Amino acid sequence: MENFTYHNPTRIHFGRGQIARIAGEFPQGARVLLIAGGGSIKQNGVYAQVCEALRACTVVEFFGVEANPDYDTLMKAVALARAERVEWILAVGGGSVLDGAKFVAAAVPFKGEPWDILSKGARIESALPLGTVLTLPATGSESNGAAVISRRALKEKLAFLSGHIFPRFSVLDPETTFSLSPRQVANGVGDAFCHVIEQYLTYPVHAEVQDRFAEALLKILVEIGPKTLARPNDYDLRANLVWTATWALNTAIGQGVPQDWTSHAVGHELTALYGIDHARTLAIVLPSLMHVQRAQKREKLLQYAERVWGLREGEPEARIDAAIERTRAFYESIGIKTRLSDYPEVTPGTAAAVAARLRARGASGMGERGDITPEVVEKILTLAA
Ligand code: NZQ
Ligand code: ZN
């Protein structure tokens, strides 16, 4: 196992009615900027509960953060936060709203050009304190220090990481997710699955806790993903989906182990180019990546085949093939297509175009060993055609 220093500062309020806990999180009279998306929270009763909990605060609202939150939209929220001298941010929504709020929290006190935070990895010295009410289980943003921001005007989608943007607290009430469409539920399952895989499917370092936790999370997603879609009003299924998605990317299973975030890096390019839902881009990349990197990931692929899919019989290569096929079939079973050709918005030449974008960014060596070059990415996307 590799060395690590682990600290997750997010306090979680989990379960029915827990939005009321927000009242105890803010000092009396705090100036809070409430950041939200396109309005789903007004239809499902979440907004009313949040307003009730914020009665002792001075609240400024910013609605309109879109899926794949846009830099230009968020800069309007930054201007509002500065003008209103807000002291806290409360994000209410899915991963996009949470990520957008994290960017606003970092950009408000930032002295230079905020785009540099994303484009140049400019160091953040501080951020406004942030709380969240999560309404879509998927990204883990409610309990990590990551945010992914799009800038449509430049066709870019870039991530940044900072210890300063971990939420101070997050409310996870599974009932807030009952209003999700089947498409968004499936996206959440598929995204969380890939998060676990990217911290697990590399090479073994004898990290038994991280491996067994990761395998448990994968097995839970395989079991409850389809059930949640079939029984959309089942509280226990939702509660387990919400908690699994949090664990998939609250950084616990990634401590002390090699990681490979290539599926996300390539997926973000596909979203930037074509606007495909985040989780769907991962489903396109992941099975092909497993194929192309099968030699490098051989030991872990065999472990994954056995422990997650129960594949113990036959030649090793056949077991690996079967595990990759199970992975693809799992995504397809929850209604997520896994081939580029399944997405009519994708234009010819995509494999080369994505490779060129990565080359231009200097992403020369991704993967757990730094051996996934833009040429390898081109191969992966060609196989995903
Ligand atoms: O905007 P509203 O009206 O709220 O509607 C949203 C949006 O249209 C809707 N929605 C959310 N909760 C709902 C609901 N509709 C009905 N009932 C509810 N309870 O769902 C739509 C999609 O929401 P979005 O926030 O975009 O989805 P998701 O949570 O999947 O977030 C995706 C974003 O997170 C980034 C992705 O790249 C993408 O930009 N990621 C962030 C990560 C992180 N911070 O660690 C890691 C992930 O890998 C991912 O990259
Ligand atoms: Zn993701």
Side-chain angles (χ1 to χ4, degrees), residues 40 44 135-137 176-189 228-229 232 238 241 277 280 334:
S40 67
N44 61 11
T135 63
L136 196 172
T176 66
T177 74
F178 282 142
S179 53
L180 285 166
S181 63
R183 174 196 177 108
Q184 295 300 348
V185 172
N187 281 353
V189 172
T228 307
L229 287 164
R238 276 314 153 105
L241 177 56
D277 289 356
R280 287 160 202 264
I334 55 172

Side-chain angles (χ1 to χ4, degrees), residues 99 117-121 145-150 157-161 268:
D99 283 10
I117 297 171
L118 294 153
S119 62
K120 297 185 182 158
V148 191
I149 307 300
S150 296
K157 180 171 184 179
L158 299 171
F160 77 105
L161 300 168
H268 288 170

Side-chain angles (χ1 to χ4, degrees), residues 150-178:
S150 296
R151 192 167 184 180
R152 286 164 180 75
L154 303 181
K155 280 206 173 198
E156 291 284 18
K157 180 171 184 179
L158 299 171
F160 77 105
L161 300 168
S162 166
H164 294 294
I165 59 168
F166 270 82
R168 301 285 177 95
F169 69 88
S170 284
V171 177
L172 277 55
D173 176 349
E175 288 191 334
T176 66
T177 74
F178 282 142

Side-chain angles (χ1 to χ4, degrees), residues 36-41 44 46 65-69 92-99 102 134-142 144-150 157 176-181 184 187-188 191 195 249 261 264 268 271 278-279 282:
S40 67
I41 64 165
N44 61 11
V46 170
V65 176
E66 50 285 269
N68 303 307
V92 187
S96 293
V97 168
L98 271 55
D99 283 10
K102 287 173 168 179
L134 179 76
T135 63
L136 196 172
T139 62
S141 186
E142 66 277 12
N144 70 32
V148 191
I149 307 300
S150 296
K157 180 171 184 179
T176 66
T177 74
F178 282 142
S179 53
L180 285 166
S181 63
Q184 295 300 348
N187 281 353
D191 192 19
H195 294 158
L249 200 48
W261 287 92
H264 268 70
H268 288 170
T271 300
H278 170 63
L282 306 173

